[in-house]
Every structure is written in C-alpha cells, then in structure tokens.
Amino acid sequence: MSQTEGARLFRETWIGGVHQHFPGEPKAGYVTSWDDTPQWEREAAGSVYEQVRQFIEISDGHTSRLSREQKGRFVATCWTAQMFKHFDDPKPGYVADWPDLPAWQQETDADIFEAIERSAAAVR
C-alpha cells in the first residue's frame, strides 16, 4: 500500500472511529471526507500510517501482542509529532498526552493502529 493509500486508510478509519466512539454529534472537521481534508492533514495521516506500518514490519508482526492502549498510544504519539511539525503553536488538544485525550479519541487511535495492522498482514 502506498503512503497516499495508507493516509486514506488512516482517514477513513478515523472517520469510522469518530462515528462509532464519539458521544453525540461530532464536529464537522472530525468527519470531513478525504477530498475535503486539508493537505497538511493528509500529509500527517500518511506519515503516521508509514510510522505504524514500519513499526509493525520491524516487529515482524508481533505488534499483535500489544494491548489496544499501547497501540493507541503509539498512534497518538506519532500524531503529536506531526502536529509539532506542521504547526509552530498547535492547539493544546492537538498535542495532548494520552491520559488527557478523551476516551473516544483513544479508542479511535487504537482502531487506526489495528486497521494498519490488518492491511500489513494482508500483504504478508
């Protein structure tokens, strides 16, 4: 899967997770379609996809033994690094540490890792 396809997988899984885990009606920006997603966010999604994919690869697929929390934390940390890359002064919510993220976002981040894990397993 190319990095662009991986970025789309990331975004589609994010949207699915928001719809599944977000309490109430999510902000429109949380569920913006790929075509309307800003370029910086597409690039960030592609970078995080690639980091997770490489992590799975160099772990020889043994990331399956990680807990959902560990998987979600990894995605969240990679995303935070991208926010610092793309913004000089990112919003605090963009760079919040794992314990400060809402439960819906933690679950969605874990969903993203697991979606990438499944796509990597399909290639093996």
Side-chain angles (χ1 to χ4, degrees):
M1 178 176 293
S2 73
Q3 190 168 346
T4 300
E5 292 168 328
R8 288 182 76 114
L9 172 66
F10 179 105
R11 183 67 186 168
E12 290 165 6
T13 305
W14 167 264
I15 292 169
V18 169
H19 284 303
Q20 181 178 355
H21 304 294
F22 191 88
E25 187 66 30
K27 296 179 189 177
Y30 288 169
V31 293
T32 300
S33 71
W34 176 257
D35 291 336
D36 295 327
T37 299
Q39 186 61 33
W40 71 264
E41 196 167 355
R42 290 179 184 202
E43 291 172 12
S47 294
V48 175
Y49 161 79
E50 191 60 29
Q51 287 176 287
V52 173
R53 187 201 60 75
Q54 287 177 13
F55 181 54
I56 293 164
E57 183 180 311
I58 64 173
S59 300
D60 200 23
H62 288 92
T63 53
S64 63
R65 298 175 70 185
L66 297 174
S67 68
R68 271 187 60 83
E69 180 177 331
Q70 290 169 321
K71 293 173 181 183
R73 279 180 183 264
F74 188 80
V75 170
T77 299
C78 293
W79 184 259
T80 296
Q82 288 299 307
M83 295 307 92
F84 285 123
K85 175 183 176 183
H86 289 278
F87 298 100
D88 290 333
D89 188 23
K91 295 178 185 178
Y94 284 5
V95 294
D97 198 15
W98 180 259
D100 300 323
L101 293 176
W104 69 265
Q105 191 169 347
Q106 291 176 346
E107 290 298 322
T108 300
D109 285 348
D111 290 349
I112 290 167
F113 191 105
E114 290 176 347
I116 297 168
E117 210 169 30
R118 285 189 300 275
S119 75
V123 173
R124 291 179 163 215

